[in-house]
Amino acid sequence: MTAEDQKWSFVVAANRLPVRRVREGDAAKWVPSPGGLVSAMRPVMSGNPNAVWAGWPGVPGLGAEPFDVDGFQCHPVSVSQGELQLFYEGFSNATLWPLFHDALVPPEYHRTWWDAYRTVNQRYADTVADLAAPGAAVWIHDYHLLLVPGLLRKVRPDLRIGFFLHIPFPARELYIRLPWRTEIIDGLLGADLIGLQTPLGADNFCRAVTRITGIKTTGKTIHHNGRTTQVGAFPIGIDTERIAGLVADPAVQARAVEIRQSLGSPATVLLGVDRLDYTKGIEVRLRAFRELLAERRLSVDDCVLVQIAEPSRSQVTGYAEVRREVEQLVGDVNGNFGVMGRPVVHYLHQSHPIEELVAMYLIADVMLVTPLRDGMNLVAKEYVACRPDNTGVLVLSEFTGAAQELRAAELINPHDIEGLKSAMEAAAHRPSAEAGAAMRTMRRLVRSNTAQRWAERFLARLEASP
């Protein structure tokens, strides 16, 4: 059997492969792709010879040949430069992303974007249909591929199809603004099982189905066209074993000591780790920090803020403006409150390997996770997993999926800057014993709902679906 003829009993389809192709000079190499999906799926896929992952390799143009990584096969799907602009930067990230994040910025609706989205989704569906063995389990991921379940169902009714949405599903009053709302619902209903991060997301989806199609749901079961689609909440976890190994690594621990010393060994380190995105609330926390310093409720003599803003979607409309605003705020805070050689905000607009992030988590006395809207937010869970001594305080937006589990965090409304300021001030001064009880509770939750457990729960439910 040739590689082209091989069929797989477990097929994963996502916008990106778990690795991406980058060029270094005249050479090209594969490096791990960023994002929570890759880290969550790694334990499920690694060493599984019956698994294949279909996705874009990270560079426009013709797809590369299939290849193996971590004991499973990757099958590149080609996306042209034009499709990248229309399907990815356009419909996925300037239409769906803002709409599904409570329309924090106005979504744009363009027919050319929609046409490209349909074309690319059809290509993914065709690819999966070719890769899947008879009766295979297929797991499709996220908002880039909302049409794939329905397109795949038409040509491969024998498959067991699961879909997981990693971002929020909006209230139906927002969702029905979408001109192609019916087509996307039809696409999703091609799945046997639809997973969302929270019960609210599952409720929102079922309400949208009823509003648009008239189909009544029984609990979270949707009967349509002689078939059944189940809907459920499956909060995603992290690879806690990998994090624990890094926390115990002497090199990571030494790096943590080095970072704290480079910051001037402050009494309190506040940390933010985010993609540079308007949903993450970076500007809000910078304004809150600036006001706390101006009101002398926090002191530049004993606290610093480290803000990691990883580059994200720089070609999408609005992201350059977010970067400009964040960097102006950083300059304003440092210009007004920093001293020579000792800025009060350390801002890094760059990606960091997980080893470096763990070292930063280890030194963070206060972790600021303050998105305006987020499906889950795995940074919050990673921070908790990096606190084996149960120290540290997590300031967490109640508009994240993580807030549904990490109730012992310092929960805040990121739209309420006074409330955020009070939480940051209290976190910076919280007694260790009080902080320890909350962190122990959160660590138990994070360790019990790992990425492996998340995938096992979803796939077991998919296998049992009628």
Side-chain angles (χ1 to χ4, degrees), residues 375-434:
M376 176 52 64
N377 195 289
L378 296 181
V379 165
K381 295 188 173 185
E382 288 173 351
Y383 175 70
V384 168
C386 288
R387 310 303 297 184
D389 58 358
N390 294 314
T391 61
V393 180
L394 172 63
V395 177
L396 179 62
S397 166
E398 62 191 24
F399 301 120
T400 63
Q404 302 302 307
E405 299 172 89
L406 304 180
R407 306 299 299 174
E410 187 76 30
L411 296 179
I412 58 97
N413 175 358
H415 301 280
D416 174 14
I417 196 163
E418 288 298 333
L420 175 56
K421 286 164 59 181
S422 296
M424 291 170 64
E425 181 184 21
H429 299 123
R430 178 158 298 176
S432 297
E434 184 182 338

Side-chain angles (χ1 to χ4, degrees), residues 54-66:
W56 182 54
V59 291
L62 295 176
E65 291 298 313

Side-chain angles (χ1 to χ4, degrees), residues 40-120:
M41 291 296 292
R42 183 180 288 108
V44 184
M45 300 291 289
S46 294
N48 186 350
N50 298 313
V52 61
W53 184 314
W56 182 54
V59 291
L62 295 176
E65 291 298 313
F67 61 94
D68 286 339
V69 61
D70 289 342
F72 65 92
Q73 183 165 107
C74 289
H75 192 99
V77 178
S78 63
V79 179
S80 71
Q81 182 63 54
E83 289 170 338
L84 188 64
Q85 293 171 346
L86 300 174
F87 147 76
Y88 178 75
E89 297 172 6
F91 196 81
S92 294
N93 287 309
T95 300
L96 294 176
W97 178 268
L99 180 66
F100 281 41
H101 286 84
D102 292 351
L104 293 170
V105 303
E108 297 181 43
Y109 306 112
H110 301 293
R111 286 171 290 179
T112 53
W113 291 2
W114 167 247
D115 291 341
Y117 187 84
R118 284 190 305 178
T119 297
V120 174

Side-chain angles (χ1 to χ4, degrees), residues 285-354:
R285 83 179 63 131
L286 287 169
R287 290 192 189 97
F289 186 58
R290 177 178 61 186
E291 291 187 18
L292 287 169
L293 294 174
E295 294 164 9
R296 299 188 178 180
R297 293 162 63 181
L298 292 179
S299 169
V300 296
D301 295 327
D302 53 26
C303 76
V304 299
L305 170 61
V306 179
Q307 177 61 58
I308 309 300
E310 299 202 350
S312 173
R313 304 171 189 158
S314 57
Q315 303 304 312
V316 178
T317 303
Y319 281 76
E321 182 179 340
V322 174
R323 179 180 179 182
R324 191 160 48 246
E325 184 176 0
V326 167
E327 293 179 354
Q328 285 175 349
L329 281 166
V330 170
D332 178 68
V333 176
N334 283 334
N336 283 286
F337 301 101
V339 297
M340 186 69 69
R342 198 179 70 196
V344 66
V345 177
H346 295 257
Y347 170 77
L348 297 169
H349 179 244
Q350 53 194 257
S351 298
H352 292 78
I354 185 63

Side-chain angles (χ1 to χ4, degrees), residues 26-264:
D26 294 331
K29 67 175 184 176
W30 296 102
V31 300
S33 294
L37 172 61
V38 173
S39 61
M41 291 296 292
R42 183 180 288 108
V44 184
M45 300 291 289
S46 294
N48 186 350
N50 298 313
V52 61
W53 184 314
W56 182 54
V59 291
L62 295 176
E65 291 298 313
F67 61 94
D68 286 339
V69 61
D70 289 342
F72 65 92
Q73 183 165 107
C74 289
H75 192 99
V77 178
S78 63
V79 179
S80 71
Q81 182 63 54
E83 289 170 338
L84 188 64
Q85 293 171 346
L86 300 174
F87 147 76
Y88 178 75
E89 297 172 6
F91 196 81
S92 294
N93 287 309
T95 300
L96 294 176
W97 178 268
L99 180 66
F100 281 41
H101 286 84
D102 292 351
L104 293 170
V105 303
E108 297 181 43
Y109 306 112
H110 301 293
R111 286 171 290 179
T112 53
W113 291 2
W114 167 247
D115 291 341
Y117 187 84
R118 284 190 305 178
T119 297
V120 174
N121 272 244
Q122 184 67 63
R123 186 175 306 138
Y124 272 82
D126 293 342
T127 299
V128 172
D130 290 341
L131 294 172
V138 175
W139 196 357
I140 301 158
H141 288 270
D142 226 2
Y143 63 103
H144 315 84
L145 304 179
L146 297 174
L147 301 178
V148 173
L151 295 170
L152 186 58
R153 177 68 61 193
K154 290 178 182 177
V155 294
R156 291 294 305 272
D158 61 299
L159 299 177
R160 196 170 291 272
I161 302 172
F163 180 89
F164 190 83
L165 183 66
H166 292 260
I167 65 174
F169 194 92
R172 68 181 177 187
E173 291 77 11
L174 286 175
Y175 179 75
I176 61 175
R177 297 179 185 179
L178 186 65
W180 306 280
R181 60 196 188 186
T182 302
E183 292 91 331
I184 285 177
I185 291 294
D186 289 344
L188 287 170
L189 290 180
D192 297 291
L193 175 63
I194 298 171
L196 299 107
Q197 298 279 21
T198 65
L200 176 60
D203 289 342
N204 284 346
F205 176 75
C206 290
R207 292 188 187 109
V209 169
T210 300
R211 166 67 173 78
I212 291 166
T213 68
I215 298 170
K216 302 296 184 183
T217 61
T218 305
K220 293 293 181 290
T221 301
I222 303 170
H223 301 283
H224 58 101
N225 300 327
R227 292 185 50 255
T228 297
T229 296
Q230 296 185 39
V231 181
F234 300 85
I236 193 171
I238 61 171
D239 187 349
T240 54
E241 288 189 9
R242 185 184 186 208
I243 295 291
L246 291 170
V247 168
D249 186 337
V252 174
Q253 294 175 356
R255 176 60 181 150
V257 171
E258 182 183 2
I259 293 172
R260 191 161 201 129
Q261 290 174 343
S262 72
L263 297 173

